[in-house]
PDB file of all heavy atoms in Angstrom:
ATOM      1  N   ASN A 186      20.174  46.050  60.156  1.00 98.00           N
ATOM      2  CA  ASN A 186      18.981  46.928  59.905  1.00 98.00           C
ATOM      3  C   ASN A 186      19.439  48.387  59.405  1.00 98.00           C
ATOM      4  O   ASN A 186      18.968  49.373  59.884  1.00 98.00           O
ATOM      5  CB  ASN A 186      18.194  47.054  61.141  1.00 98.00           C
ATOM      6  CG  ASN A 186      17.762  45.664  61.714  1.00 98.00           C
ATOM      7  OD1 ASN A 186      18.022  45.282  62.857  1.00 98.00           O
ATOM      8  ND2 ASN A 186      17.035  44.912  60.836  1.00 98.00           N
ATOM      9  N   VAL A 187      20.374  48.324  58.516  1.00 97.00           N
ATOM     10  CA  VAL A 187      20.981  49.657  57.968  1.00 97.00           C
ATOM     11  C   VAL A 187      20.031  50.213  56.909  1.00 97.00           C
ATOM     12  O   VAL A 187      19.623  49.483  55.955  1.00 97.00           O
ATOM     13  CB  VAL A 187      22.388  49.444  57.526  1.00 97.00           C
ATOM     14  CG1 VAL A 187      22.828  50.814  56.891  1.00 97.00           C
ATOM     15  CG2 VAL A 187      23.237  49.091  58.699  1.00 97.00           C
ATOM     16  N   SER A 188      19.694  51.510  57.022  1.00 97.00           N
ATOM     17  CA  SER A 188      18.958  52.228  55.942  1.00 97.00           C
ATOM     18  C   SER A 188      19.707  53.521  55.773  1.00 97.00           C
ATOM     19  O   SER A 188      20.370  54.006  56.602  1.00 97.00           O
ATOM     20  CB  SER A 188      17.506  52.544  56.450  1.00 97.00           C
ATOM     21  OG  SER A 188      16.893  51.277  56.794  1.00 97.00           O
ATOM     22  N   LYS A 189      19.441  54.004  54.448  1.00 96.00           N
ATOM     23  CA  LYS A 189      20.007  55.346  54.115  1.00 96.00           C
ATOM     24  C   LYS A 189      19.008  56.101  53.274  1.00 96.00           C
ATOM     25  O   LYS A 189      18.529  55.676  52.386  1.00 96.00           O
ATOM     26  CB  LYS A 189      21.343  55.216  53.303  1.00 96.00           C
ATOM     27  CG  LYS A 189      21.930  56.531  52.851  1.00 96.00           C
ATOM     28  CD  LYS A 189      22.374  57.338  54.042  1.00 96.00           C
ATOM     29  CE  LYS A 189      23.001  58.662  53.675  1.00 96.00           C
ATOM     30  NZ  LYS A 189      23.188  59.556  54.831  1.00 96.00           N
ATOM     31  N   SER A 190      18.746  57.403  53.711  1.00 95.00           N
ATOM     32  CA  SER A 190      17.852  58.303  53.023  1.00 95.00           C
ATOM     33  C   SER A 190      18.522  59.582  52.872  1.00 95.00           C
ATOM     34  O   SER A 190      19.393  59.988  53.639  1.00 95.00           O
ATOM     35  CB  SER A 190      16.593  58.475  53.803  1.00 95.00           C
ATOM     36  OG  SER A 190      15.833  57.271  54.030  1.00 95.00           O
ATOM     37  N   PHE A 191      18.111  60.331  51.826  1.00 93.00           N
ATOM     38  CA  PHE A 191      18.634  61.660  51.582  1.00 93.00           C
ATOM     39  C   PHE A 191      17.459  62.654  51.683  1.00 93.00           C
ATOM     40  O   PHE A 191      16.307  62.391  51.382  1.00 93.00           O
ATOM     41  CB  PHE A 191      19.174  61.748  50.127  1.00 93.00           C
ATOM     42  CG  PHE A 191      20.449  60.781  49.984  1.00 93.00           C
ATOM     43  CD1 PHE A 191      20.250  59.514  49.410  1.00 93.00           C
ATOM     44  CD2 PHE A 191      21.741  61.228  50.410  1.00 93.00           C
ATOM     45  CE1 PHE A 191      21.432  58.682  49.358  1.00 93.00           C
ATOM     46  CE2 PHE A 191      22.837  60.409  50.248  1.00 93.00           C
ATOM     47  CZ  PHE A 191      22.624  59.173  49.709  1.00 93.00           C
ATOM     48  N   PRO A 192      17.743  63.936  52.132  1.00 89.00           N
ATOM     49  CA  PRO A 192      16.711  64.982  52.146  1.00 89.00           C
ATOM     50  C   PRO A 192      16.179  65.153  50.753  1.00 89.00           C
ATOM     51  O   PRO A 192      16.937  65.197  49.740  1.00 89.00           O
ATOM     52  CB  PRO A 192      17.480  66.155  52.691  1.00 89.00           C
ATOM     53  CG  PRO A 192      18.702  65.565  53.282  1.00 89.00           C
ATOM     54  CD  PRO A 192      19.070  64.390  52.630  1.00 89.00           C
ATOM     55  N   TYR A 193      14.907  65.343  50.645  1.00 87.00           N
ATOM     56  CA  TYR A 193      14.224  65.493  49.413  1.00 87.00           C
ATOM     57  C   TYR A 193      12.984  66.375  49.657  1.00 87.00           C
ATOM     58  O   TYR A 193      12.008  65.949  50.264  1.00 87.00           O
ATOM     59  CB  TYR A 193      13.870  64.175  48.765  1.00 87.00           C
ATOM     60  CG  TYR A 193      13.318  64.303  47.399  1.00 87.00           C
ATOM     61  CD1 TYR A 193      13.935  64.641  46.325  1.00 87.00           C
ATOM     62  CD2 TYR A 193      11.844  64.159  47.194  1.00 87.00           C
ATOM     63  CE1 TYR A 193      13.565  64.721  44.943  1.00 87.00           C
ATOM     64  CE2 TYR A 193      11.322  64.293  45.954  1.00 87.00           C
ATOM     65  CZ  TYR A 193      12.152  64.572  44.835  1.00 87.00           C
ATOM     66  OH  TYR A 193      11.564  64.685  43.637  1.00 87.00           O
ATOM     67  N   GLY A 194      12.991  67.626  49.155  1.00 83.00           N
ATOM     68  CA  GLY A 194      11.899  68.604  49.533  1.00 83.00           C
ATOM     69  C   GLY A 194      11.690  68.745  50.895  1.00 83.00           C
ATOM     70  O   GLY A 194      12.700  69.021  51.614  1.00 83.00           O
ATOM     71  N   LYS A 195      10.442  68.484  51.418  1.00 85.00           N
ATOM     72  CA  LYS A 195      10.160  68.475  52.795  1.00 85.00           C
ATOM     73  C   LYS A 195      10.293  67.278  53.557  1.00 85.00           C
ATOM     74  O   LYS A 195      10.098  67.216  54.783  1.00 85.00           O
ATOM     75  CB  LYS A 195       8.770  69.230  53.044  1.00 85.00           C
ATOM     76  CG  LYS A 195       8.656  70.676  52.451  1.00 85.00           C
ATOM     77  CD  LYS A 195       7.229  71.061  52.719  1.00 85.00           C
ATOM     78  CE  LYS A 195       7.052  72.572  52.285  1.00 85.00           C
ATOM     79  NZ  LYS A 195       5.681  73.135  52.559  1.00 85.00           N
ATOM     80  N   GLY A 196      10.664  66.215  52.766  1.00 86.00           N
ATOM     81  CA  GLY A 196      10.759  64.939  53.394  1.00 86.00           C
ATOM     82  C   GLY A 196      12.140  64.324  53.057  1.00 86.00           C
ATOM     83  O   GLY A 196      13.153  64.955  53.201  1.00 86.00           O
ATOM     84  N   SER A 197      12.049  62.999  52.785  1.00 90.00           N
ATOM     85  CA  SER A 197      13.355  62.288  52.480  1.00 90.00           C
ATOM     86  C   SER A 197      13.148  61.306  51.428  1.00 90.00           C
ATOM     87  O   SER A 197      11.976  60.741  51.210  1.00 90.00           O
ATOM     88  CB  SER A 197      13.870  61.524  53.836  1.00 90.00           C
ATOM     89  OG  SER A 197      12.978  60.604  54.228  1.00 90.00           O
ATOM     90  N   LEU A 198      14.133  60.923  50.780  1.00 92.00           N
ATOM     91  CA  LEU A 198      14.184  59.943  49.625  1.00 92.00           C
ATOM     92  C   LEU A 198      15.065  58.717  50.074  1.00 92.00           C
ATOM     93  O   LEU A 198      16.299  58.923  50.125  1.00 92.00           O
ATOM     94  CB  LEU A 198      14.714  60.569  48.411  1.00 92.00           C
ATOM     95  CG  LEU A 198      14.667  59.695  47.121  1.00 92.00           C
ATOM     96  CD1 LEU A 198      13.184  59.402  46.734  1.00 92.00           C
ATOM     97  CD2 LEU A 198      15.459  60.394  46.013  1.00 92.00           C
ATOM     98  N   PRO A 199      14.486  57.633  50.354  1.00 93.00           N
ATOM     99  CA  PRO A 199      15.247  56.441  50.850  1.00 93.00           C
ATOM    100  C   PRO A 199      15.955  55.850  49.557  1.00 93.00           C
ATOM    101  O   PRO A 199      15.424  55.608  48.531  1.00 93.00           O
ATOM    102  CB  PRO A 199      14.168  55.487  51.348  1.00 93.00           C
ATOM    103  CG  PRO A 199      12.954  55.866  50.632  1.00 93.00           C
ATOM    104  CD  PRO A 199      12.990  57.349  50.373  1.00 93.00           C
ATOM    105  N   ALA A 200      17.240  55.501  49.841  1.00 94.00           N
ATOM    106  CA  ALA A 200      18.130  54.694  48.860  1.00 94.00           C
ATOM    107  C   ALA A 200      17.975  53.331  49.056  1.00 94.00           C
ATOM    108  O   ALA A 200      17.869  52.595  48.071  1.00 94.00           O
ATOM    109  CB  ALA A 200      19.562  55.248  48.961  1.00 94.00           C
ATOM    110  N   PHE A 201      18.021  52.751  50.294  1.00 95.00           N
ATOM    111  CA  PHE A 201      17.861  51.485  50.697  1.00 95.00           C
ATOM    112  C   PHE A 201      17.356  51.320  52.072  1.00 95.00           C
ATOM    113  O   PHE A 201      17.569  52.287  52.878  1.00 95.00           O
ATOM    114  CB  PHE A 201      19.194  50.534  50.461  1.00 95.00           C
ATOM    115  CG  PHE A 201      20.300  50.991  51.252  1.00 95.00           C
ATOM    116  CD1 PHE A 201      20.496  50.606  52.571  1.00 95.00           C
ATOM    117  CD2 PHE A 201      21.329  51.862  50.775  1.00 95.00           C
ATOM    118  CE1 PHE A 201      21.572  51.055  53.359  1.00 95.00           C
ATOM    119  CE2 PHE A 201      22.387  52.240  51.465  1.00 95.00           C
ATOM    120  CZ  PHE A 201      22.548  51.903  52.835  1.00 95.00           C
TER     121      PHE A 201
END
Side-chain angles (χ1 to χ4, degrees):
N186 305 120
V187 175
S188 300
K189 179 62 183 177
S190 299
F191 296 96
Y193 184 76
K195 295 182 179 180
S197 63
L198 183 66
F201 59 84

